[in-house]
Amino acid sequence: MCSKSAASLKTNHENSQPHSVLEELRMPFSHAYIGNFFQDKPVLGNQFLEDALLQSYLKRHLPPRVLEEVSQDLERFGQRLVEEIDHLGRECELNLPQLRQYDSWGHRVDDILTCPAWKRMKAISAEEGFIAEAYERKYSSWSRLVQVIKNYLFSPSSGLFSCPLAMTDGAAKVFEALGTPAGVEDAFRHLTSRDPSSFWTSGQWMTERRGGSDVAHGTETVAHAQADGTYKLYGYKWFTSATDSDMSLTLGRVVDAQGHTVQGTKGLSLFYLEVRDAEGQLNGIEVQRLKDKLGTRQVPTAELLLDGVKALQISPQGRGVASIASMLTITRIHNTIAAASSMRRIINLAREYASKRFVFGQLIRDHPLHMQTLARMEVEARGAFLLLMEVSRLLGLEETNMATEQDQHLLRLLTPVAKLYTGKQAVAVLSEGLECFGGQGYMEDTGLPAMLRDVQVLTIWEGTTNILSLDVLRSVTKSQGQVLSAFFSVTQEKLEAASNVPSLSEPILRLMQALQQLRAFTQQAGVRGSSFLALAARDFSYSLAKIYIGSLLVDHAAWAEATDVTSAYCAQRWSEQDLCPVSKAEASGCYDSHAASMDKTLVYEKSPLLLGKL
């Protein structure tokens, strides 16, 4: 290869252009010519104004006065996202947290250093009332829904500050559910404050080395009572999210006078701790290291040694797990927020890009196959959004003592269903979404690959898909089947109410058939034993999700019929999939003992572990 200057000299000599030759001699290292075309990037618009289903949902459900006030605020906030917040979120991705364990003179300090943008996100969270909105109850039962929607708009631009907000919301909910125990009144005010100078975030320190989701048998942290009524905690926390937060909740086993603890769930109590003391020193905490994660790198996540942490017991003795049930509801809903909002964001960017990218003689928005792909992603996103709204609406009713018994049963069932199903949806849709940008979807400096990495956590955090599926079964067993009765009743009502809309006849028929298949499966499963149900748990949960989302799409389409042809089309497309996979798998013998044995044989074929060890 020759340099541009040398090549230019040869060309200019051949064309007898002495002036150009002289110019090249004066500038021998001039810039290489790289072409005139540069692809325009997708531009983020006002995410509230561009979300047709969100606006339609609010118009249908909110009282007129609330609708007007909330819509104005969300439009304003949507513009703030574009002008300020989205840029801060990108800065959080580019300036990751670091651990400084020692100062210049060798003192152990364990400072977790975060960028200015991360700190600014905390102030914005207070100003916008991302937590406060739900607890002020300004809009009665609709307050929780409004809070969820605002977090839904914020999440994709938050630089993952949505993670500490999830745990902050969960901690506030625990305090409220426990009647704000003595000693945490100030903490509750901090968590729900709109004043950036007094707003706190909370961590959640439950996971230990041998535990994971199994806190009952995996929690080794012990608590020693002190003369002043507090406790000192000793243990090792393997995974602590948002470790730079102001406070945290954690589980531990109280040591009795003889030095003994109670094992299992009955031995766990819930404790509140502040991360730093009044002088700003760490409260008996040593930060061992920051975790190196696939995604969510913006969030400081650490391994901690608890070495005499001063803490306050806030649950009755041995009722720690029961006391965090309300927190799990909140954090699972936040998980669903992240899933639904990430799908919406990648679709909005992809459709904007499709209006700018010109290939094979036309814009890619004019290629029917590309539009078909985007439409399939849109159907998934709309289904996830309506499921998120339904769970949020039910929670708002429960929090204001307006929920019927049926509402409460439905909330208990749908919360884990929504978390496990939308997490899977998000990974698939985000992966498809990156393809919509071609090679640029694979380039780190576009910010797009981080979106895919970050959503992968949604299938893992707060319980994997299988763990959540088993939790769905527990809700059925614990309620003696009442949660399922509520599911069948409400779903049937929604479908029957829409049966007079001609454009919905096909999706209603398919959903009714799937509902009958699911009903038949549950009746049969009742006599097949717990091992049968456990093996079917994932497909069973998927069936619940698909059928209920279908009923929500039909229900919304029936209301929107006069002005919205897309809602009926969306319901139709949703209903064309296998809506009851558990029925099909059961008919194929996937859940019998032979299948369970063959599953293991298939997985471990040729593995030395199979020979006499399994």
Side-chain angles (χ1 to χ4, degrees):
M1 292 179 65
C2 60
S3 69
K4 173 186 177 290
S5 297
S8 298
L9 282 170
K10 179 180 179 181
T11 302
N12 291 336
H13 175 72
E14 291 173 350
N15 294 330
S16 301
Q17 296 175 336
H19 179 73
S20 297
V21 173
L22 291 175
E23 285 294 313
E24 286 290 344
L25 288 172
R26 280 195 292 267
M27 296 182 293
F29 298 104
S30 58
H31 289 292
Y33 180 73
I34 58 175
N36 293 320
F37 175 78
F38 294 90
Q39 177 63 52
D40 290 336
K41 66 181 181 180
V43 176
L44 188 71
N46 188 309
Q47 295 300 283
F48 172 67
L49 295 180
E50 292 185 7
D51 197 326
L53 181 58
L54 169 56
Q55 293 185 57
S56 178
Y57 183 90
L58 292 178
K59 184 178 180 181
R60 179 186 180 188
H61 289 277
L62 294 187
R65 182 189 63 82
V66 177
L67 174 64
E68 181 180 5
E69 190 171 321
V70 167
S71 296
Q72 289 177 357
D73 182 59
L74 293 178
E75 182 175 347
R76 173 203 60 79
F77 177 64
Q79 199 57 36
R80 188 179 188 184
L81 279 173
V82 174
E83 296 174 355
E84 177 187 6
I85 296 173
D86 195 62
H87 303 291
L88 293 172
R90 182 63 177 150
E91 286 184 36
C92 292
E93 293 173 11
L94 298 175
N95 299 281
L96 302 180
Q98 298 179 8
L99 173 61
R100 184 172 72 104
Q101 287 192 304
Y102 298 92
D103 69 11
S104 303
W105 301 97
H107 300 106
R108 183 78 181 256
V109 291
D110 286 352
D111 283 337
I112 295 176
L113 308 176
T114 57
C115 67
W118 183 260
K119 296 177 176 64
R120 180 62 185 144
M121 286 296 192
K122 183 177 181 181
I124 290 171
S125 299
E127 294 165 1
E128 294 291 347
F130 291 141
I131 305 302
E133 189 75 64
Y135 296 91
E136 293 167 347
R137 308 276 154 72
K138 178 181 178 181
Y139 302 120
S140 185
S141 68
W142 298 112
S143 294
R144 176 61 74 175
L145 185 76
V146 171
Q147 181 232 24
V148 166
I149 289 171
K150 203 162 190 181
N151 279 274
Y152 166 82
L153 292 172
F154 174 64
S155 181
S157 294
S158 70
L160 264 294
F161 201 82
S162 53
C163 179
L165 290 180
M167 289 172 287
T168 301
D169 199 354
K173 185 63 178 174
V174 167
F175 288 162
E176 186 178 65
L178 292 174
T180 316
V184 302
E185 298 91 345
D186 284 345
F188 181 75
R189 283 192 287 271
H190 283 300
L191 296 176
T192 58
S193 174
R194 287 182 180 262
D195 181 358
S197 66
S198 64
F199 176 62
W200 279 8
T201 57
S202 176
Q204 183 176 303
W205 301 353
M206 306 296 174
T207 305
E208 301 191 8
R209 279 196 181 106
R210 68 169 69 192
S213 298
D214 187 7
V215 295
H217 302 98
T219 300
E220 298 177 307
T221 297
V222 295
H224 291 267
Q226 306 299 299
D228 62 358
T230 63
Y231 286 79
K232 284 194 174 181
L233 305 181
Y234 298 85
Y236 196 93
K237 298 298 180 180
W238 179 246
F239 197 96
T240 63
S241 288
T243 319
D244 65 326
S245 292
D246 303 278
M247 58 151 283
S248 188
L249 298 181
T250 191
L251 294 170
R253 302 184 190 279
V254 175
V255 179
D256 64 20
Q258 289 73 41
H260 300 143
T261 60
V262 177
Q263 296 305 301
T265 303
K266 294 181 180 179
L268 292 174
S269 300
L270 185 63
F271 295 88
Y272 155 77
L273 64 92
E274 295 179 17
V275 175
R276 296 184 180 272
D277 60 23
E279 286 72 43
Q281 301 301 310
L282 285 172
N283 173 21
I285 298 167
E286 285 189 4
V287 183
Q288 302 304 302
R289 64 167 176 161
L290 293 182
K291 307 295 266 189
D292 188 8
K293 299 168 290 180
L294 168 67
T296 66
R297 298 171 181 172
Q298 308 93 314
V299 185
T301 306
E303 291 176 32
L304 300 181
L305 174 68
L306 308 187
D307 187 12
V309 174
K310 183 178 181 180
L312 187 67
Q313 182 178 322
I314 61 172
S315 73
Q317 189 102 344
R319 295 285 295 168
V321 173
S323 299
I324 64 172
S326 57
M327 178 182 70
L328 293 177
T329 297
I330 297 297
T331 52
R332 288 170 179 177
I333 290 175
H334 275 272
N335 203 92
T336 309
I337 291 172
S341 64
S342 65
M343 287 187 270
R344 171 52 52 211
R345 177 60 59 85
I346 196 71
I347 292 169
N348 283 4
L349 290 174
R351 70 185 188 184
E352 215 273 339
Y353 187 68
S355 297
K356 293 179 173 179
R357 178 64 174 157
F358 191 88
V359 293
F360 299 116
Q362 56 188 344
L363 292 167
I364 56 177
R365 72 180 182 190
D366 297 323
H367 288 274
L369 183 59
H370 188 69
M371 284 297 99
Q372 181 191 74
T373 301
L374 279 174
R376 288 173 176 173
M377 294 163 60
E378 181 73 28
V379 170
E380 295 292 330
R382 291 191 179 208
F385 173 80
L386 289 179
L387 184 57
L388 168 64
M389 292 297 99
E390 178 74 348
V391 174
S392 305
R393 182 186 68 83
L394 292 169
L395 178 60
L397 291 173
E398 182 186 69
E399 290 180 320
T400 51
N401 299 315
M402 298 169 66
T404 65
E405 186 177 0
Q406 184 181 72
D407 291 333
Q408 293 175 44
H409 287 314
L410 203 55
L411 176 63
R412 175 65 184 90
L413 179 69
L414 291 181
T415 301
V417 166
K419 188 275 186 191
L420 71 89
Y421 190 75
T422 60
K424 286 295 189 184
Q425 282 180 297
V427 174
V429 170
L430 266 291
S431 178
E432 191 73 71
L434 295 198
E435 286 192 52
C436 295
F437 299 92
Q440 288 298 90
Y442 202 66
M443 298 297 110
E444 281 289 349
D445 56 3
T446 65
L448 295 168
M451 296 178 69
L452 178 58
R453 284 200 308 272
D454 289 344
V455 297
Q456 183 63 69
V457 78
L458 302 178
T459 65
I460 298 171
W461 183 55
E462 295 294 17
T464 62
T465 306
N466 285 349
I467 293 295
L468 269 291
S469 297
L470 294 174
D471 188 56
V472 170
L473 293 188
R474 278 192 292 273
S475 73
V476 174
T477 302
K478 193 172 181 179
S479 70
Q480 297 181 320
Q482 293 183 75
V483 296
L484 274 185
S485 296
F487 172 87
F488 285 119
S489 177
V490 172
T491 306
Q492 184 97 16
E493 288 173 9
K494 290 182 184 299
L495 297 177
E496 289 179 351
S499 60
N500 62 338
V501 180
S503 62
L504 296 172
S505 59
E506 287 188 19
I508 289 175
L509 176 61
R510 294 191 183 101
L511 285 160
M512 283 289 196
Q513 290 172 342
L515 194 63
Q516 288 304 111
Q517 291 173 342
L518 186 62
R519 197 189 302 271
F521 172 83
T522 57
Q523 291 170 350
Q524 184 182 20
V527 298
R528 295 285 294 272
S530 58
S531 60
F532 172 84
L533 265 176
L535 196 54
R538 178 187 282 235
D539 293 336
F540 178 66
S541 298
Y542 282 11
S543 300
L544 291 169
K546 290 184 175 187
I547 293 171
Y548 201 79
I549 288 174
S551 74
L552 292 172
L553 288 166
V554 163
D555 180 54
H556 188 78
W559 171 82
E561 182 197 16
T563 58
D564 180 5
V565 297
T566 58
S567 291
Y569 180 76
C570 186
Q572 176 187 336
R573 288 297 179 217
W574 179 271
S575 68
E576 289 168 355
Q577 64 182 302
D578 181 3
L579 296 167
C580 192
V582 74
S583 178
K584 181 178 180 180
E586 192 278 330
S588 300
C590 291
Y591 311 133
D592 59 34
S593 57
H594 175 69
S597 175
M598 286 303 300
D599 287 343
K600 182 178 289 187
T601 302
L602 175 64
V603 171
Y604 282 97
E605 186 176 20
K606 287 294 184 181
S607 167
L609 295 173
L610 184 63
L611 302 177
K613 296 183 180 181
L614 291 177

